[in-house]
Structures are given as C-alpha cells and as structure tokens.
Amino acid sequence: MTKSVIAGLPAQLDNSKLRALIDCAKTLTAEQLLWSSGYLAGMASGSAGAPTGSSAGQVVILYASQTGNGVGVSKKLQQALAQAGIGAEVFNALDYRKAQLKKAAAVLIVASTHGEGDVPDTAQEFAEFLNSNKAKVLKSLQYSVLALGDSSYSHYCQVGRDFDARLAELGAQEIVPRQECDVDYAADAATWIEQVTNALQQTLETTSSAPVVVSLAGGNDYSRGQPWQAEVLVNQVITGRGSSKQTRHLELSLEESGMEFLPGDSIGVLTPNPVELVDEILATLKLDPQAQVPGASGESVTVRDALIKDYEIVPIARPVIQNYVAIQPNDQLIELLEDDHKQELTDWLYSRDLLDLLVEQPLAGLTAEQLVGLLRPIQPRLYSIASSQLANSDEVHLTVATVEYEARGRQRSGVATGWIANHVVEGETLGIYRHENPLFRLPEDSQQPVIMIGPGTGVAPFRAFLEEREAQGAEGRNWLFFGDRNFTTDFLYQREWQAHLASDLLTRIDLAFSRDQAERIYVQQRMLEQSHEFYRWLEEGACVYVCGDATRMASDVHAALLEIIQKEGGLSAESAADYVSLMQRERRYQRDVY
Ligand SMILES: Cc1cc2nc3c(=O)[nH]c(=O)nc-3n(C[C@H](O)[C@H](O)[C@H](O)COP(=O)(O)OP(=O)(O)OC[C@H]3O[C@@H](n4cnc5c(N)ncnc54)[C@H](O)[C@@H]3O)c2cc1C
Ligand SMILES: Cc1cc2nc3c(=O)[nH]c(=O)nc-3n(C[C@H](O)[C@H](O)[C@H](O)COP(=O)(O)O)c2cc1C
C-alpha cells in the first residue's frame, strides 16, 4: 500500500510527513478514517474550520437501520459535518453506550421503520433504553431525527416519529424539525443534512460558516436514477415442472461496469409498468395517451410514457388516496385514512392497483396532469445477491420468485417479476444498481461457524455466502436450513448444495418441505428438532443469518432461536433474550427479511 501511495506523492508531502500520515491512519477505525477524509477534504477546499465536538461535548450520529439505507445517509451526514469543521462520530445504535447520551452536545438520529411499524433489530435495545426511566432529562442535548420509511405501510416512519417524540419529552432541544422520507429518500435526506449542518455551524460556533451543499446521488456509483444496463446472460426457471410457483435464476453481466459488491448486498432492479395496465387506465379515464404531462424529473412527456416509466401504479400507497380525496371527497376513502383504520387501509390497498381505485371509486373529469399528480415515482425492486464476486468477478446472480395472483376477476403479475418472467430475454439488458447492506455480512474471522436460515428465495444470499467462503478458503463450518413447498419441484439449487456437501464446504443441510406431508413443516421445526446441535454451534461462536419472508418466517425463526437457547442453555426467557442481544452486539445474529 505504501508503494502505491508514494507513486502518486505530491511534491509537497515528503517521506516523513507521509510516514506520519500512514502511522496515524493505521490506528484509526473505518469510521474515523471516513471522518478524517471528509475533514481533510474540507480543509483542502478551505471550508473546514477547527473541528469541534470533542471539547464542547460530542456530536453523535446514531443510525437505526435494517437494510443499510440509514448507514449511507449517516456517513453522508458525517462528511457534510466534517466539511463544516464539525467532528462527529457515527454509531450503529447497537454499539452506542446509552449513558453517554447525556454527555453529548448533539445527537442526530437516522431511523428507519421495519416490520409493521417496528424498530430495526439493531436498535431495539436503544429504543428500550430511551423509553425507560433510565433515560434522564436531556435539557442540554440538541437533536434532530431523519425518519426513513415507505408510505405504502400504515405505520409510516413510526420509529423516527417515536424517537422524536421521546427526545422532546425528555427535554432535548430540536435543532431541525424531523424530516420524514419516503422510498425516494435521497433529496429529502440531503436537505435535512444541509439544514442540520448549517444549524450546528451556528450553535457550535465553528470557525467555518460556509453553507454546505449535499448530494446523495453517489458520485460515479450506479443508482436508481442512473442504473447500469446489465446484459442478461441467463434467465432460467429453476422450479420444476408442476410446481405451484415459479422461481427464476438470473445471471447479469457486470463486465466493464466497475460495479463492486459483497455478499449480503442486494441489487436494485428497474423495470417499466405493464403496458396493458397503463392502456386500461387511460381507456377507463378516456384520456388521450398522447396528452403531455410532467415526467418524474419535470420534463414534458406523454401521459402513456409517464405511466409506463415514471410513476408507481402498483401497489398504491396512502398518499395516493390522500391526494385522491383532496380532489374529490369520498366518504369510504376518508374513513380508511383515519388513524384508527390503519389496518383496514393496509388490507384494502394490499391487492389493489391504480386501475382498481379508478374503477371502484370513479373520479369524474380527472385530467392527465391531475392523474400523474396523484402518484409516487416508480420504485425499483430489491433482490438479494446470490453470487460472490470472488467466484464470478464479472457477474451478479439473483433468485427471483414470480409474483402472480388473481384479484377481483383480474389476473395480475408483479411489476418487476412479471417483467422479468415475460419480457426479459437473454442477450437484452436490465437496469440495475447495487444496494449496499453493511448490516448483513459474513464474519471477518473466516474460522467462525455460520448457520444460514433461508427458505424460498431467502436462500439467495447464502448461495453467495458459500461461494465467498469457498473462494476465500474459509475453514469455518457452514450449516444451511432451507425450505419450500415441495421437494421434487422447489428444491432451489439442489445440485449445488449436494456438491457443497460432498466437498465438505457445507457441513450440513436441514430441509423442510411444507407440503410434502399432511401437516405443514417449516424451517423453525427443523431448528427445534436439532436444538442440541444448534446450541452447540452457538456456544462455539456461530453467526446466525436469517433471510426471506418477514411476515411469518422471521418471527417464527426468532421464537425458535429463543426456545433453543432457553432449553439447551437452561436459561430463563429473560436470559435467553439477553443471550440473543449479545449475539446481535457481536454481529452474530443478522436478518435480511422482506
Ligand atoms: C432487501 C430485500 C431483498 C429482497 N430479495 C428478494 C429476492 O432475493 N428474491 C425475490 O424474489 N424477492 C426479493 N425481495 C422482494 C422484491 O423486492 C419484490 O418486492 C418482489 O419481487 C415483488 O415485486 P414485484 O414488482 O414483482 O411485485 P409488485 O408489483 O410490487 O406487487 C407486489 C404487490 O402485489 C400485491 N400482491 C402480491 N401477492 C398478492 C396476492 N397473493 N394477493 C393479493 N395481492 C397480492 C401486494 O400488494 C404486493 O405488495 C426483496 C425485498 C427486499 C426489501
Ligand atoms: C420488510 C419491510 C418492512 C417495512 N415496514 C415499514 C413500516 O412499517 N413503515 C415504514 O414507514 N416503512 C417501512 N419499510 C420501509 C423502510 O423503512 C425503508 O425502506 C427504509 O428506507 C429502510 O431504511 P434502512 O435500510 O436504513 O433500514 C419497510 C421495509 C421493509 C423491507
């Protein structure tokens, strides 16, 4: 490393300064390095003043994140503060020593909501602490909250709202009002970062007062706005003939993209809406398909193109209903929007798309411009990466279950999975970008055993994990729990697991095919059947990973894990919960569920 640094050495930096810099850098953590890079860049551009925060009390950035968005936003915030001459440390809420909260000068919280209004796994202890009597009055603490969420969920941004309310209740001083961010969070998050940075520049009296400008559209990285057009090398059904569902294996070329990823990351896929659905919407409203409307980025496009490429028409989210009743009051919809009807609204929206709304609750005289004004921008869909770049450097693989269902007499396909199943031909391209998730990672110590629980498409990241472990020559043992409906048709990647068993890469596999016998059997039953061995692995330091269905599987597997620890460790329910909390702090229990 030293050599390559010296090769590009500017004349001003002599060897002794370089040596001092390298020696200092070696002692820093990844987060400290990041802060330093921002600070030095700020100094170079003349905008950084003396760093503050340590003497006047620390500026703390806390993220409560599950799928990684909050981590990226927190790092951007840290860089912006560094440019303004404000030193701040970024903490995963899991690692933050809560007692320090009262010593901090300011706490900036980036919190997402998961499940149905739930706190991310890594922030549960922090949330419990904040809501307990142990959290003392925090009058000298300044704070602000960025709440990440998705308005298609009824408990929109709930965790950010709750943190905000509790900090205010404890007497902390809000420096910038809570910013709620919907799925397209980049612009709102950037605005919040600028506001927070500028507010702290005032209150901490830094020597720099130059306003900071932030962009979350990450430099040269591919993003939802700027995807890589990946050639589709393979798009193949991997469920057998006669299966009750269809799952596909995709291989996409990354050649010349420069895109890098790690197992545990996902790929964002951008596809258009179904053309037939768009045409039916336009016919129902008797709108001219060529009418001009503002596209998602403000330019003028035909309403047909806008509905195909720019706006979300499946599923529909709460703000669409709010916009709808603002144009024409509608008693049924207004009732569904009331706070005590959240579950009814979720159920009502679940199987409905924009066409259902327009047919069931007609809105007379809706113009093309009003129509697109109702809608959120179209959203990419995420798919767990199913390959390792160490094993396939120029490719990324995905495992995609096709969504198909019938509702109110109409056969429907998922927007992305329907497109992949019906329109994506090998040799053509698909718009993709990397969605980083640093919260779902293999252990750094390759000797550590790994237990992977991934029924259905939840198995995808574990295919990547095993490829990575093999390519690294990792010696740690690997145990996979897989399940699906039927052995003969739904045993995804069966031959690969068998080959991995034969080569000893996979130490053991336990299978649960739910519909091969009278009573349903799921992976959590298999865990319980193996509870003695499972606990032995835990005691030997195994990391447990769970991926797949969030609605039932994740909570059932969590309950099974607690039961195993209680039974085999002879512990009370409370001690078993503490055991799992410790596993989380040690990064030995990670979940990526959807
Ligand atoms: C971090 C993450 C990782 C993921 N990884 C994977 C993965 O590896 N593989 C994978 O296949 N998926 C994965 N997903 C899910 C994926 O992102 C999409 O949500 C999924 O493929 C559906 O997208 P779609 O566009 O095809 O369906 P959409 O067009 O979004 O339709 C889905 C909607 O249709 C409705 N609906 C669906 N089924 C029914 C039904 N039976 N009855 C009535 N209404 C119904 C619901 O409103 C539902 O919200 C992941 C999600 C996340 C967040
Ligand atoms: C399984 C799942 C459940 C979610 N539940 C909610 C919810 O109840 N309320 C909400 O506002 N957002 C919800 N979201 C959206 C996330 O909060 C949003 O994607 C956020 O940007 C994620 O940030 P993170 O990556 O930092 O965790 C959910 C997302 C997923 C994948």
Side-chain angles (χ1 to χ4, degrees), residues 314 350-351 381-384 399-401 405 414-417 457 592 594:
V314 190
Y350 180 67
S351 61
R381 269 57 170 179
L382 296 182
Y383 296 93
S384 310
T399 314
V400 176
Y405 59 98
V415 169
T417 57
T457 53
D592 190 14
Y594 46 86

Side-chain angles (χ1 to χ4, degrees), residues 67 114 152-153 247-248 266-267 271 273-274 312 314-316 346 349-352 379-386 398-408 412-419 435 437 456-461 547-548 592-594:
T67 51
H114 278 267
S152 64
Y153 288 88
T247 304
R248 310 180 80 91
S266 303
I267 287 290
T271 63
N273 285 313
E312 183 178 69
V314 190
I316 39 174
T346 304
L349 291 175
Y350 180 67
S351 61
R352 285 179 168 82
Q379 292 308 315
R381 269 57 170 179
L382 296 182
Y383 296 93
S384 310
I385 290 176
L398 308 177
T399 314
V400 176
T402 309
V403 171
E404 275 178 325
Y405 59 98
E406 195 269 341
R408 279 171 299 286
R412 300 151 194 245
S413 300
V415 169
T417 57
W419 178 260
H435 176 96
N437 186 0
T457 53
V459 82
C547 183
D592 190 14
V593 293
Y594 46 86

